[in-house]
Amino acid sequence: MSDINWIYNYSFLGVRLFDLPSLLMCLLLIMVLSYKFAIPVIQRFVLMLHCFLPFVLNDVLFKVNYMPDQLKYWRGVNAIRDGEISLVEAFTGGDNVLQASAFFSVMPFPTPVSPISLGFYNTFIYIVLFFILYAKNVFTKVSLWFYLLFPSMALYTALSLRETLILFFMILSVVYARESKLFKTALCVFPILLLKFQNFYIVGPVVLLYFIFDVAKKGMGPIKALLIGVIGFAALLISAPFALPLVNKFRVAMFVEDGGDPEDIELIAGVGDFVFQGLTSGFYFLSKPLPWEASSALQLIQSFENIVVLAILFLITRQAWKKSIDKLAFWLLFMVFAMSVYGLVVVNYGTAVRYRYGFVVMYVLFVCADCNIISLRSERKTKNYRQPSTKSLQHPSSQTY
């Protein structure tokens, strides 16, 4: 592969000038689709602001080496486009980095000239996903603004990481499951296996249960959800002797990958500790880092973000409990399952924020959509509020998606 480090010979502004075509492509996409779907000006403005985030994150908010995975994807895409690695080899080689790089490499963007370039690829995906959700009438007033203003989502969808790709396919798999489109759902679930197998084993069963119980129309019901929870707890007990060594292995591997010393990691000791952490780690994973655990300015900001997000999740859940507990039960089960799995193996605070934001977004999107949550306030205070008409949320031509 030709040397791609020549970019470091340019100044701060010089490096960013090379990405102006990518910026303009994202802005043009917003303008065209906003006109097509009659997007309100304020939402259009927020989307456009998002397009500038890749310029002000790496080497501004933090050094690019703070998240070194970005360099791997950047080099992977360049290797594929330079012909050093074939696209087929990248997809089938079993390397998650190269598989994600392969997805990026086929996107209609200029070659990524710097580690920040793939941030515009992800911004493009973020914009496309917004308009798909808008066209599919998934958004409510609450979930739309959460999508636009959730800080962690804004951060990770503007970096050169694979998380936006994973989020894209996870959300679309549920979108098509809601429409009972089995083939399209399978097409969206399969890339998750390539990109992040643990997410596949979380989303796969969730999508299957969504089909089986027809959650979008009927819900699951608290009794069924409780029964599945009891079965899950029994499985946790039975699997403990076999799963514990594997869980500890992943805990150490992920801690070391994030720059930690394996001697500093606290392993799960015994079956009792495994069961206890399996039952309690989910909520801690959802809320960490707590303010007193933050070791940097970024983590402190994320800790306060957690408080706000937990409050929003509580308000949404409370509204859904009143409106449709049968549908809410399914998504609560999904959230507990996802957070518990990651809570067992992820110790690093920054990694926790990075891995959980996608599940938080999914919970908000589909609880609001399935339970028709149009406000965070109680029904008594919003009884005069009318949900926007279908025309205001969905353009007639949206069936092209």
Side-chain angles (χ1 to χ4, degrees), residues 305-333:
E305 177 200 69
N306 291 343
I307 296 172
V308 175
V309 169
L310 286 172
I312 292 173
L313 293 179
F314 170 77
L315 293 173
I316 289 173
T317 303
R318 185 180 66 174
Q319 287 286 76
W321 186 280
K322 296 176 182 178
K323 287 194 169 188
S324 181
I325 191 173
D326 287 348
K327 295 176 180 178
L328 173 65
F330 174 84
W331 289 111
L332 282 175
L333 187 66

Side-chain angles (χ1 to χ4, degrees), residues 6-159:
W6 58 267
I7 192 68
Y8 293 115
N9 295 325
Y10 287 82
S11 65
F12 177 87
L13 290 177
V15 169
R16 283 153 178 78
L17 285 175
F18 286 101
D19 283 312
L20 283 181
S22 297
L23 170 65
L24 294 176
M25 289 174 66
C26 291
L27 291 173
L28 181 61
L29 178 68
I30 292 171
M31 289 188 285
V32 171
L33 293 182
S34 293
Y35 176 78
K36 179 178 181 180
F37 294 108
I39 301 295
V41 174
I42 183 63
Q43 296 169 17
R44 195 180 315 179
F45 178 71
V46 174
L47 282 171
M48 287 183 169
L49 283 180
H50 189 281
C51 295
F52 292 89
L53 282 178
F55 283 144
V56 297
L57 295 179
N58 283 307
D59 295 326
V60 179
L61 184 61
F62 43 74
K63 292 290 185 180
V64 67
N65 290 327
Y66 182 72
M67 297 183 187
D69 285 4
Q70 296 182 97
L71 298 170
K72 297 178 183 178
Y73 300 116
W74 172 51
R75 295 185 183 279
V77 173
N78 278 283
I80 293 170
R81 289 196 172 182
D82 285 347
E84 181 180 324
I85 302 173
S86 72
L87 191 62
V88 174
E89 181 184 354
F91 270 120
T92 60
D95 186 323
N96 294 138
V97 171
L98 285 179
Q99 287 166 336
S101 299
F103 280 103
F104 285 131
S105 70
V106 298
M107 292 180 64
F109 272 82
T111 297
V113 295
S114 77
I116 70 172
S117 298
L118 292 180
F120 290 100
Y121 290 46
N122 280 325
T123 295
F124 184 86
I125 296 170
Y126 171 87
I127 295 166
V128 169
L129 183 59
F130 173 87
F131 283 102
I132 291 176
L133 293 171
Y134 199 96
K136 293 288 186 180
N137 208 21
V138 173
F139 281 133
T140 67
K141 185 178 180 181
V142 171
S143 59
L144 184 147
W145 282 109
F146 188 85
Y147 185 99
L148 290 176
L149 300 179
F150 184 20
S152 284
M153 186 171 189
L155 173 67
Y156 289 108
T157 54
L159 293 174

Side-chain angles (χ1 to χ4, degrees), residues 380-400:
R380 180 179 54 191
K381 294 181 180 179
T382 60
K383 62 182 178 181
N384 293 324
Y385 176 82
R386 292 186 179 183
Q387 186 178 10
S389 66
T390 303
K391 291 182 179 180
S392 67
L393 287 176
Q394 183 177 9
H395 191 277
S397 63
S398 63
Q399 296 304 315
T400 59

Side-chain angles (χ1 to χ4, degrees), residues 60-317:
V60 179
L61 184 61
F62 43 74
K63 292 290 185 180
V64 67
N65 290 327
Y66 182 72
M67 297 183 187
D69 285 4
Q70 296 182 97
L71 298 170
K72 297 178 183 178
Y73 300 116
W74 172 51
R75 295 185 183 279
V77 173
N78 278 283
I80 293 170
R81 289 196 172 182
D82 285 347
E84 181 180 324
I85 302 173
S86 72
L87 191 62
V88 174
E89 181 184 354
F91 270 120
T92 60
D95 186 323
N96 294 138
V97 171
L98 285 179
Q99 287 166 336
S101 299
F103 280 103
F104 285 131
S105 70
V106 298
M107 292 180 64
F109 272 82
T111 297
V113 295
S114 77
I116 70 172
S117 298
L118 292 180
F120 290 100
Y121 290 46
N122 280 325
T123 295
F124 184 86
I125 296 170
Y126 171 87
I127 295 166
V128 169
L129 183 59
F130 173 87
F131 283 102
I132 291 176
L133 293 171
Y134 199 96
K136 293 288 186 180
N137 208 21
V138 173
F139 281 133
T140 67
K141 185 178 180 181
V142 171
S143 59
L144 184 147
W145 282 109
F146 188 85
Y147 185 99
L148 290 176
L149 300 179
F150 184 20
S152 284
M153 186 171 189
L155 173 67
Y156 289 108
T157 54
L159 293 174
S160 300
L161 298 167
R162 63 178 173 172
E163 267 61 39
T164 307
L165 273 173
I166 297 166
L167 176 67
F168 179 79
F169 288 116
M170 288 199 307
I171 288 178
L172 283 191
S173 66
V174 179
V175 167
Y176 289 122
R178 295 179 81 239
E179 298 175 351
S180 299
K181 295 179 179 178
L182 182 59
F183 179 70
K184 289 185 177 181
T185 301
L187 283 180
C188 292
V189 169
F190 179 70
I192 304 173
L193 177 61
L194 297 178
L195 294 167
K196 202 166 197 177
F197 74 92
Q198 56 266 49
N199 284 35
F200 172 82
Y201 290 113
I202 293 173
V203 175
V206 166
V207 169
L208 182 61
L209 289 173
Y210 205 92
F211 272 114
I212 293 173
F213 292 103
D214 195 9
V215 173
K217 295 179 181 178
K218 302 176 183 178
M220 174 180 281
I223 295 179
K224 292 178 182 176
L226 182 61
L227 179 60
I228 292 174
V230 170
I231 294 173
F233 176 71
L236 186 67
L237 284 173
I238 295 172
S239 67
F242 313 100
L244 182 54
L246 191 60
V247 169
N248 278 330
K249 176 182 176 181
F250 278 114
R251 281 171 73 91
V252 173
M254 296 186 75
F255 188 69
V256 171
E257 184 178 340
D258 291 323
D261 186 340
E263 298 296 327
D264 296 335
I265 185 73
E266 183 179 345
L267 299 179
I268 299 175
V271 174
D273 190 26
F274 176 71
V275 173
F276 175 78
Q277 293 211 34
L279 295 175
T280 61
S281 61
F283 181 76
Y284 181 49
F285 180 78
L286 185 62
S287 59
K288 67 181 181 183
L290 300 169
W292 54 87
E293 294 175 325
S295 59
S296 66
L298 180 59
Q299 287 187 8
L300 185 61
I301 293 171
Q302 290 173 330
S303 69
F304 286 112
E305 177 200 69
N306 291 343
I307 296 172
V308 175
V309 169
L310 286 172
I312 292 173
L313 293 179
F314 170 77
L315 293 173
I316 289 173
T317 303

